[in-house]
Amino acid sequence: MIRNLACLILVFMSFPVLAAAQTVGIRSGEHADFTRLVLTLPKRLPWTLEQEGRTATLMFDSDPLEFDTSAVFQRISGKRLADLSIDQGGQAIDLTLACECEVSGFWHTWTMLVLDIADTGPARSAHRPVVQDRSQVPAALPETQSTAAKLVAGSLPPYAGAPAPPLKVNSEVDSSQALTKARDRLMQQFGRAATQGLLSPKGAGGSLAPAMSDDVEEAKQEPAVPVENDSDHAGEPVASQHINLHAQSSIDEALMSMLDKGIVPDRDAHCIPDDMLDIATWAADAPFWIQVGPLRSSMTVEFDKIETDTAVQLAKLYIHYGFGAEALQILRLVQDGRPGLAQLKSMASILKDRRDRPDGFFSGMYACPSRAALWALLSSSGLPQDATVNKDAALLAFNALPVHLRKHLGPRLVRLFLDAEDKETADRFLRAITRDPLPDPPETALVQAAFDHANGDDRAAISSLEGVIETGAEPSAEALVKLVEVKHGRQERLSFEIAQLAAAYAVQNRNAPIGPELIWAQIVALAGSGAFDDAIRLLNEFENTLPEHRAATRADVMALLTDSADDVVFLRHMMAGNTGVVSNLPTEIGNAIAARLLDLGFPDAAQQVTVPAASQEGRRERQILRARIALRQKLPRKAEVELLGLVGDDVNILRAQARSVAGEHATAGDLYRSAEQPDAALREHWLAEDWHALAGSDDPVLAELGQLLSKTDSDIGESANLDDAKVPVLERNRSLLKDSTDMRQTIQGLLEVKSQPVADPD
């Protein structure tokens, strides 16, 4: 009873799937040389395709089907397919063509029937032969076919996935060693053409015909002329005369097109055709769970054997929806080594890990004029420096992806071109992401911020980053790191709340690749908010674990400490040796630290910072700092040595200070005058008792004093004549009294308008 109940439940559960499977969805796609229709059937059904003029009819030998044609004309222009209608019985589809085109069909995977409407031109016959499905019963070979054609057609399986029958070779042909070698070479060439999609079985006779591909235009062929058998040569194979074989695949034509455009691919790269990367056709319009259920249930047959066709179709479905890990898991079950398996695995790896191995399937396909260029970009960690990239083909392929894949893969491409400083191409991909009305994921806002920052619009970048952080979504931690980076670069003050958030993210992602970046953001945010004790403590603990490109973190923290910390905090960390190895500090930051230490009265500590060699940009400032330190240490001659080779008013002032400290006030006064420091020059002349220089001052009081003192010194001899007995005593006394009165008045005026000179603190 339990078994019967389980069977009954299983039957009821299968009803929706069976019902849904009866509706055949028809999807379309426009290509350069053909228009494609894809019919998703519940299973492979016998079909026949007839065409006469501009009318083609697809007929099914099955029960009536229900067709969904609502999406047929959404993605095509109508230049090849004018109309599509379903007959009343639901067993045939009528196609009305808008051009002189040929319609062909083939099975793709187990349930997809593909119809290609290809351009042919008016020279083709108005009546096309009937094309029948070869997937059910193999047809016999016509006797008029050549031996090579019989060998190839006989080796083809009756349907996709079936084992190929053993080759049957005519014994007379096999007896000839030369013919055997020629046959083998011909088989290899036919195999290559069949693998690339150049040849496919056509017609009831199983003959070989050119297959319709994405880029190949069917060549004009003359009908084969049968040769009548000679009775003397009965039993020998019959061959066609005037055989002219020319095999040109989509790969060959793609290469020629690239050469015409001046795009040269890598030497070992091969461009695969677009139809192998047409992800949009790898899923139907039905909900995901309706599509995946039947595939998973039918993937395993008796004795746990995997149905490889179904497994590959399921993997393609997963890739269509962006489930790379699930697709890889399914593809590992496929062990038959079929063509295209490596491609699917590489695509799944790209979706799973956001890139592929350096030697992956799409390596070197950057210049391909097809969708392969897009997947080559997605598989790389950086834009190649020495390879030509077909950006137009990549962008065209990106626009052909489903919307959800554009939203998922687009940010990666924008970052790729931003890192290569190709902002124009990055903007094109960014607009291709955001033009869709569906809401953009946080990853898009993140790359939008990176794009704004690259264009110098930091305010817009900060706004986008803050919006991502507020969502709390997966990239919010990366957005926080970028926010700290942008604000720190703009020298904006960071809040303590940002530092706390960075600490929380660092704990949450301590084992993730972004963990060290979050620790860096926490350290810089703490220092930027003024919490230097915590910032330096974390720096001392985690400096060796920070990313390589964050090697200047200690220098950044020291710069913030020097610029914004109060004197007590600054001196505490300087005296504790938290600058690290002084020689590792950039010259500009070392100069700023030394200048502040000197201003605070610690010339010896400042001297230790200025010991390492300076860079070219900061060498002059470093020499001036060393001279100032020597003056503070009362070493004037050393200060002058430090200033050797320098010119400028600031250098002359330091030289004047050095001469003043050495007691050479007259020379110091001249140096001050050359540096346009008149007050300092007069002070030095005063100290040097150079009254003549003082007499030439613009200050009337000092000029009068200088003249008086100069007169007294110069007229010593004349004053001595006053002692002559011939000079009346009264006149001599009056002269001395007058000089004394003038001296007192001059000194009194000087004391009223001038302060007492003091020595230069330096």
Side-chain angles (χ1 to χ4, degrees):
M1 180 179 297
I2 295 176
R3 179 178 299 176
N4 293 336
L5 181 60
C7 293
L8 184 61
I9 295 175
L10 182 61
V11 170
F12 278 107
M13 290 178 63
S14 65
F15 280 164
V17 176
L18 294 175
Q22 297 302 316
T23 300
V24 179
I26 305 178
R27 303 180 64 181
S28 61
E30 193 81 69
H31 298 262
D33 300 325
F34 66 96
T35 298
R36 173 163 291 178
L37 301 179
V38 179
L39 289 74
T40 304
L41 297 163
K43 63 178 181 179
R44 288 200 173 188
L45 302 173
W47 57 272
T48 303
L49 179 62
E50 296 183 354
Q51 180 177 354
E52 185 172 357
R54 295 194 175 189
T55 302
T57 302
L58 175 65
M59 295 171 288
F60 292 97
D61 185 9
S62 65
D63 296 333
L65 300 171
E66 180 179 352
F67 296 94
D68 181 9
T69 62
S70 58
V72 171
F73 291 95
Q74 292 180 359
R75 300 181 59 187
I76 61 176
S77 61
K79 65 179 181 179
R80 298 186 184 93
L81 180 62
D83 190 19
L84 182 147
S85 60
I86 310 299
D87 71 345
Q88 299 296 329
Q91 292 180 319
I93 301 176
D94 295 325
L95 306 177
T96 302
L97 307 181
C99 62
E100 295 294 333
C101 303
E102 181 177 356
V103 184
S104 60
F106 61 91
W107 284 109
H108 177 68
T109 70
W110 190 250
T111 60
M112 288 186 180
L113 178 60
V114 180
L115 298 182
D116 283 348
I117 306 174
D119 299 330
T120 59
R124 302 298 297 263
S125 172
H127 178 75
R128 274 79 175 183
V130 177
V131 179
Q132 295 181 347
D133 177 23
R134 190 180 178 272
S135 64
Q136 304 298 324
V137 181
L141 292 173
E143 291 297 327
T144 59
Q145 294 296 319
S146 66
T147 303
K150 293 179 182 180
L151 289 172
V152 175
S155 65
L156 294 175
Y159 57 88
L167 293 176
K168 296 181 179 180
V169 185
N170 188 291
S171 59
E172 296 184 13
V173 177
D174 191 38
S175 62
S176 174
Q177 183 177 3
L179 186 58
T180 301
K181 293 181 179 180
R183 178 203 63 195
D184 294 338
R185 289 196 300 269
L186 189 60
M187 284 291 296
Q188 291 176 359
Q189 295 300 320
F190 273 118
R192 174 179 179 270
T195 301
Q196 295 179 357
L198 177 65
L199 297 178
S200 64
K202 180 179 181 181
S207 61
L208 294 175
M212 300 302 297
S213 63
D214 290 359
D215 305 305
V216 180
E217 180 181 355
E218 184 177 1
K220 297 180 180 180
Q221 297 179 354
E222 297 180 359
V225 180
V227 180
E228 296 184 4
N229 296 338
D230 194 313
S231 58
D232 296 334
H233 302 281
E236 294 186 2
V238 181
S240 298
Q241 294 180 346
H242 309 294
I243 296 178
N244 185 11
L245 294 178
H246 176 70
Q248 184 174 356
S249 68
S250 58
I251 297 176
D252 303 321
E253 290 204 354
L255 180 60
M256 294 301 297
S257 175
M258 292 164 59
L259 293 176
D260 291 339
K261 297 178 181 179
I263 302 176
V264 181
D266 292 346
R267 182 183 62 181
D268 298 328
H270 301 286
C271 300
I272 59 177
D274 276 346
D275 58 350
M276 296 181 66
L277 296 170
D278 193 5
I279 298 181
T281 63
W282 291 359
D285 294 331
F288 172 74
W289 63 271
I290 290 182
Q291 300 180 69
V292 74
L295 290 175
R296 291 189 63 90
S297 62
S298 60
M299 188 176 64
T300 305
V301 294
E302 68 277 0
F303 304 111
D304 294 332
K305 183 180 179 182
I306 300 299
E307 176 58 51
T308 55
D309 285 343
T310 305
V312 170
Q313 186 176 353
L314 179 59
K316 287 185 174 182
L317 181 67
Y318 280 136
I319 292 174
H320 174 91
Y321 284 100
F323 299 121
E326 291 77 3
L328 276 177
Q329 184 180 8
I330 296 298
L331 291 172
R332 291 191 186 102
L333 302 176
V334 181
Q335 303 294 335
D336 60 356
R338 61 177 54 209
L341 194 61
Q343 167 206 325
L344 294 177
K345 288 183 178 179
S346 184
M347 296 173 70
S349 298
I350 292 171
L351 294 174
K352 174 180 176 290
D353 301 325
R354 296 182 178 269
R355 63 176 57 93
D356 199 8
R357 305 183 313 275
D359 57 345
F361 180 83
F362 295 99
S363 176
M365 297 188 184
Y366 303 102
C368 290
S370 62
R371 294 168 180 162
L374 171 67
W375 289 95
L377 291 173
L378 291 171
S379 66
S380 63
S381 58
L383 207 61
Q385 299 295 328
D386 55 349
T388 303
V389 179
N390 196 329
K391 302 172 186 177
D392 293 336
L395 185 63
L396 186 63
F398 181 76
N399 287 325
L401 291 176
V403 176
H404 59 274
L405 282 184
R406 291 205 303 269
K407 300 288 187 182
H408 176 61
L409 299 174
R412 189 188 319 177
L413 295 166
V414 177
R415 288 175 184 270
L416 196 68
F417 286 101
L418 283 179
D419 293 342
E421 299 182 354
D422 187 352
K423 293 184 287 187
E424 180 182 357
T425 306
D427 182 43
R428 295 172 67 187
F429 277 98
L430 186 59
R431 285 187 281 110
I433 302 172
T434 56
R435 71 165 177 259
D436 193 87
L438 293 179
D440 295 323
E443 290 83 357
T444 303
L446 195 60
V447 296
Q448 179 70 60
F451 181 79
D452 292 335
H453 178 61
N455 283 286
D457 192 356
D458 288 342
R459 301 313 310 169
I462 291 174
S463 177
S464 298
L465 292 170
E466 290 175 344
V468 176
I469 295 172
E470 290 176 358
T471 63
E474 180 181 355
S476 57
E478 183 180 355
L480 180 63
V481 173
K482 190 64 178 179
L483 178 66
V484 173
E485 190 176 82
V486 173
K487 286 197 169 187
H488 177 62
R490 290 171 55 86
Q491 298 182 351
E492 290 189 12
R493 183 175 179 83
L494 293 162
S495 65
F496 187 69
E497 288 75 12
I498 292 180
Q500 289 179 312
L501 183 59
Y505 277 128
V507 173
Q508 181 181 357
N509 297 273
R510 57 183 176 271
N511 296 324
I514 199 176
E517 290 282 352
L518 290 166
I519 294 177
W520 170 86
Q522 182 184 0
I523 293 172
V524 174
L526 286 170
S529 64
F532 292 104
D533 293 344
D534 293 335
I536 294 177
R537 176 182 56 80
L538 283 176
L539 180 62
N540 293 334
E541 183 178 357
F542 294 103
E543 185 174 16
N544 294 331
T545 65
L546 294 178
E548 184 177 351
H549 65 281
R550 304 297 187 187
T553 303
R554 184 171 293 274
D556 293 339
V557 173
M558 292 301 107
L560 291 170
L561 179 70
T562 305
D563 182 64
S564 59
D566 59 59
D567 293 341
V568 175
V569 174
F570 173 76
L571 288 175
R572 184 172 71 247
H573 289 292
M574 288 298 107
M575 299 310 173
N578 287 327
T579 57
V581 180
V582 177
S583 60
N584 292 338
L585 291 175
T587 301
E588 295 77 8
I589 297 176
N591 290 344
I593 293 174
R596 185 167 183 183
L597 286 171
L598 185 61
D599 293 339
L600 292 174
F602 295 89
D604 294 338
Q607 183 183 15
Q608 297 299 320
V609 180
T610 60
V611 167
S615 64
Q616 184 66 33
E617 294 77 10
R619 184 173 301 169
R620 186 180 189 277
E621 184 181 357
R622 178 65 58 87
Q623 288 183 250
I624 292 176
L625 277 171
R626 288 174 177 171
R628 289 182 57 196
I629 294 171
L631 288 174
R632 189 65 63 86
Q633 294 172 334
K634 304 302 180 183
L635 300 172
R637 299 308 179 192
K638 181 181 178 181
E640 288 194 88
V641 171
E642 296 290 352
L643 296 173
L644 289 175
L646 300 182
V647 294
D649 290 343
D650 55 344
V651 175
N652 287 337
I653 291 174
L654 289 175
R655 288 196 176 105
Q657 292 175 0
R659 292 301 179 96
S660 179
V661 172
E664 301 176 8
H665 298 292
T667 305
D670 294 338
L671 290 171
Y672 274 127
R673 185 180 294 111
S674 68
E676 298 182 356
Q677 299 286 328
D679 293 339
L682 288 174
R683 182 190 63 195
E684 293 299 327
H685 288 302
W686 180 291
L687 295 174
E689 298 182 0
D690 186 359
W691 312 125
H692 290 286
L694 206 63
S697 173
D698 295 334
D699 192 319
V701 176
L702 292 178
E704 183 180 356
L705 177 61
Q707 292 172 0
L708 181 60
L709 294 176
S710 299
K711 178 182 179 181
T712 301
D713 293 339
S714 63
D715 297 340
I716 293 178
E718 183 180 350
S719 299
N721 293 334
L722 295 176
D723 294 334
D724 192 348
K726 297 181 180 181
V727 179
V729 176
L730 182 59
E731 183 177 354
R732 182 177 61 225
N733 291 339
R734 286 178 177 175
S735 177
L736 293 174
L737 182 61
K738 182 178 181 300
D739 291 341
S740 177
T741 302
D742 292 342
M743 180 68 71
R744 285 196 303 269
Q745 290 177 350
T746 301
I747 294 175
Q748 182 65 32
L750 182 64
L751 293 175
E752 289 178 357
V753 299
K754 298 292 182 181
S755 60
Q756 184 178 1
V758 295
D760 188 0
D762 289 336

